[in-house]
Amino acid sequence: MTDELELLRNWDADTAPLTEPARAKARHRLLNTMAHAERHPDTSPSRRHALRLATAAVVAVAVTGTAVLMTKDGADEGDRPDRAGRLSGTAAPRMGNVGAATVLNGAAARAGKQEKPVAPRDDQFIYSKRVITETERRTGAVRTYKDVNWDSVDGSKRSLTMELGRMIWEEPLKKGEGVWPPREWSKLKKLPTDPEKLIPGIIGVGTSSKPMSDFTADDWFDAYFMLGELLKWPVLPQGLRPAAYEALALVPGVKAILGVKDSAGRTGVGIAYPKSPFGQGKYLIFDPESYEFLGFRDERTSASGDKTYIQLSHVVDWAIVDRLKQRP
Amino acid sequence: MTVEPGVRTGAESDASVIARSRDEPEAFAVLFDRYADAVHRYLARRLGGEPADDLMAETFTTAFQQRHRYDPSRATGDGARPWLFGIATNLVGRHRRAEARRFKAMARIPAPADHEEPLADRAAARVGAQAVRQELAGALAVLPARHRDVLLLVAWGGLGYEEVAQALGVPIGTVRSRLHRARSKLREALGGSDPTILREAPGHD
């Protein structure tokens, strides 16, 4: 017998389902809120820690199709001068007519010519030295850090890393834990060096077989993020770095920003993804003529949430070594 | 949303996602994808599509901002559903009058015709269902807000008694008594102990 509760349950009250534009708008609102959130104050901010967690998040994001985030209305807002101003923080760069694809393909050609074959063993470490110039947005105060890191090649050993001058021991990866990019050389070697195959190969953490023609906005953001993280890794198998640059050029929404500065004060072209709240204020910097890769720009907020810093960083040295604390 | 079949095996629990989002805000988007449709549907049935679009978004931004206060030990199971529906219900609270007006209007006017169905079906078979809808809407419009919240969290939110208690922050006994009263009012409005036996459709009042 039907009771009143069941009648109520079966009545949809003339409800239309959630539309895709409304879903995208709501998600955009949430992601904007997230993008401006403080990290938990109990947690010491750690780039390495964040990377590992963020990587786990991206994995979750990728497999659940969560990522981001754009409304049709907002699709072109990257071109607006006010948004560009916010992106840059310091100077007033312009979103340029210099195509992002030209810069990225140029960088790919250059990287292809310059790379040398390497093959670290799983029991070795990758030593890298990163220079970070940090400018506090409000006061303009500048500090420079030289962080050195020894990362276990396959993640099975403790790694020693540095976060703005502070030493941090990283415990080995636990079973089922992973990072992007993968540490094991064998896994990196399996990534396609054809850019059109690399993109479908990395979204969904390699579990997706979706062709690029079927990509949603979320899939493209995943691709952009995963490629950016891959490019941050100092050592990649031959052919992978040029492929990642070329793949980045295939991502719709990637833009060139003119007149940005690198950590050495040189003027370069930024390659950004202004559509995403996660991508705001972050970009890769290239020499506008030679397309040499000059470094990354990022932003961080202090644990108390009241200070914002603009970070310019680049790797000045790297090597494959046998032991922790061994320098080349 | 695209979810690759089989990929989300061993999916992370809601409690774990919320805990992780304290250090890693972007993780919270996972909850959005899990519950956006359900929360929206609940809100849309209470307030209509357009306000629901807005309040669904507000539910998640509010939940995100309050994520530090989420206590999985007080949750039934590890699901965030009661917590999110509690937030959504609180937001509905700001629109009580609009909700009552909407139900009153539905009690008076016939539901919009379903254009995908043949005309003959609409004309005949739907008359009974439509009368029930009008009765239900009329009863909902005059229920005290706190009774309506409990009733609709159960009927439209799909929550159990304990989950409703958690969502509203009231004892489970209160949930039971409010639900009992709300159901009685509904039964009355539907014309007696067997609501499948319908009264004549009410005249306009």
Side-chain angles (χ1 to χ4, degrees), chain A residues 219-246:
Chain A
D219 296 328
W220 280 118
F221 179 75
D222 281 356
Y224 164 80
F225 190 96
M226 305 291 254
L227 287 168
E229 291 301 309
L230 187 64
L231 284 166
K232 281 184 185 170
W233 203 237
V235 194
L236 295 175
Q238 204 164 9
L240 191 53
R241 192 175 302 275
Y245 283 135
E246 284 173 23

Side-chain angles (χ1 to χ4, degrees), chain A residues 4 9 11 27 43 57, chain B residues 23-24 33 45 133 156 183:
Chain A
E4 69 284 346
R9 279 195 185 112
W11 176 40
R27 187 191 272 153
T43 315
Chain B
D23 297 332
E24 182 199 321
D33 276 354
R45 284 163 106 179
R133 282 199 295 260
W156 289 349
R183 288 186 67 170

Side-chain angles (χ1 to χ4, degrees), chain B residues 83-203:
Chain B
W83 178 57
L84 291 170
F85 276 76
I87 292 168
T89 303
N90 279 337
L91 294 174
V92 169
R94 294 190 207 153
H95 303 268
R96 294 271 180 235
R97 286 185 186 170
E99 187 184 28
R101 270 202 306 275
R102 179 167 184 268
F103 288 137
K104 269 183 194 154
M106 286 174 139
R108 287 179 191 138
I109 56 163
D114 184 347
H115 295 291
E116 288 178 8
E117 293 202 18
L119 201 65
D121 286 354
R122 289 212 308 275
R126 288 296 173 109
V127 171
Q130 187 174 300
V132 172
R133 282 199 295 260
Q134 286 177 260
E135 303 277 17
L136 287 172
L140 288 176
V142 296
L143 275 183
R146 58 191 192 283
H147 293 183
R148 189 161 63 212
D149 283 346
V150 170
L151 177 70
L152 295 183
L153 278 171
V154 171
W156 289 349
L159 302 190
Y161 293 3
E162 265 186 60
E163 292 177 320
V164 174
Q166 188 204 330
L168 298 178
V170 298
I172 193 164
T174 308
V175 172
R176 285 184 204 281
S177 68
R178 285 182 190 173
L179 184 66
H180 178 76
R181 285 181 203 170
R183 288 186 67 170
S184 300
K185 289 272 169 57
L186 235 59
R187 251 195 319 271
E188 262 175 47
L190 289 166
S193 56
D194 185 350
T196 57
I197 300 167
L198 295 167
R199 293 186 311 181
E200 298 265 313

Side-chain angles (χ1 to χ4, degrees), chain A residues 86-319:
Chain A
R86 266 188 285 141
L87 269 168
S88 78
T90 46
R94 295 161 283 128
M95 291 287 186
N97 293 325
V98 174
T102 309
V103 174
L104 288 164
N105 290 329
R110 187 185 166 94
K113 275 184 219 147
Q114 295 196 332
E115 66 183 355
K116 297 185 181 103
V118 284
R121 295 190 315 269
D122 280 356
D123 64 332
Q124 290 181 303
F125 292 84
I126 292 168
Y127 161 85
S128 59
K129 184 175 180 183
R130 183 183 293 268
V131 174
I132 301 153
T133 306
E134 208 176 65
T135 309
E136 201 207 321
R137 190 188 284 277
R138 197 157 39 91
T139 62
V142 180
R143 276 193 75 174
T144 299
Y145 301 89
K146 287 177 184 166
D147 288 353
V148 285
N149 307 291
W150 286 268
D151 286 291
S152 164
V153 168
D154 68 354
S156 69
K157 295 187 177 60
R158 284 212 296 172
S159 297
L160 183 55
T161 64
M162 212 183 255
E163 159 70 21
L164 300 178
R166 201 161 51 94
M167 296 291 271
I168 297 162
W169 284 100
E170 265 193 16
E171 293 306 312
L173 294 173
K174 294 192 187 102
K175 201 176 177 194
E177 229 181 9
V179 289
W180 179 265
R183 296 284 172 83
E184 296 95 321
W185 198 249
S186 54
K187 285 190 184 165
L188 285 171
K189 288 272 279 186
K190 279 189 194 144
L191 291 173
T193 51
D194 174 344
E196 302 217 3
K197 289 183 183 149
L198 179 61
I199 291 177
I202 62 173
I203 70 153
V205 217
T207 54
S208 167
S209 54
K210 194 192 271 189
M212 283 197 289
S213 54
D214 292 348
F215 269 27
T216 62
D218 294 350
D219 296 328
W220 280 118
F221 179 75
D222 281 356
Y224 164 80
F225 190 96
M226 305 291 254
L227 287 168
E229 291 301 309
L230 187 64
L231 284 166
K232 281 184 185 170
W233 203 237
V235 194
L236 295 175
Q238 204 164 9
L240 191 53
R241 192 175 302 275
Y245 283 135
E246 284 173 23
L248 212 45
L250 299 175
V251 175
V254 165
K255 299 233 176 205
I257 303 171
L258 302 182
V260 301
K261 298 277 186 195
D262 78 343
S263 54
R266 293 171 291 190
T267 301
V269 183
I271 297 294
Y273 194 79
K275 282 178 178 179
S276 161
F278 293 153
Q280 286 176 31
K282 299 180 183 194
Y283 38 79
L284 293 81
I285 306 167
F286 296 89
D287 184 283
E289 282 165 20
S290 70
Y291 305 128
E292 179 190 357
F293 178 63
L294 301 179
F296 294 95
R297 183 196 192 280
D298 206 340
E299 288 181 11
R300 81 171 174 99
T301 304
S302 64
S304 59
D306 56 358
K307 287 180 185 168
T308 310
Y309 300 92
I310 294 152
Q311 295 183 324
L312 297 168
S313 67
H314 69 290
V315 174
V316 289
D317 193 17
W318 66 268

Side-chain angles (χ1 to χ4, degrees), chain B residues 9-83:
Chain B
T9 51
E12 190 177 3
S13 72
D14 291 347
S16 165
V17 169
I18 294 166
R20 195 155 57 83
S21 74
R22 291 170 189 175
D23 297 332
E24 182 199 321
E26 52 275 27
F28 203 83
V30 172
L31 283 195
F32 179 92
D33 276 354
R34 285 184 189 168
Y35 295 107
D37 286 282
V39 170
H40 183 271
R41 184 166 161 74
Y42 168 72
L43 289 167
R45 284 163 106 179
R46 295 194 66 167
L47 293 167
E50 212 171 298
D53 289 351
D54 191 46
L55 286 192
M56 182 272 277
E58 199 174 343
T59 299
F60 283 95
T61 54
T62 304
F64 175 75
Q65 283 154 349
Q66 295 180 357
R67 68 196 188 287
H68 298 295
R69 281 153 50 182
Y70 178 78
D71 179 1
S73 65
R74 286 178 54 207
T76 49
D78 73 0
R81 193 182 175 95
W83 178 57

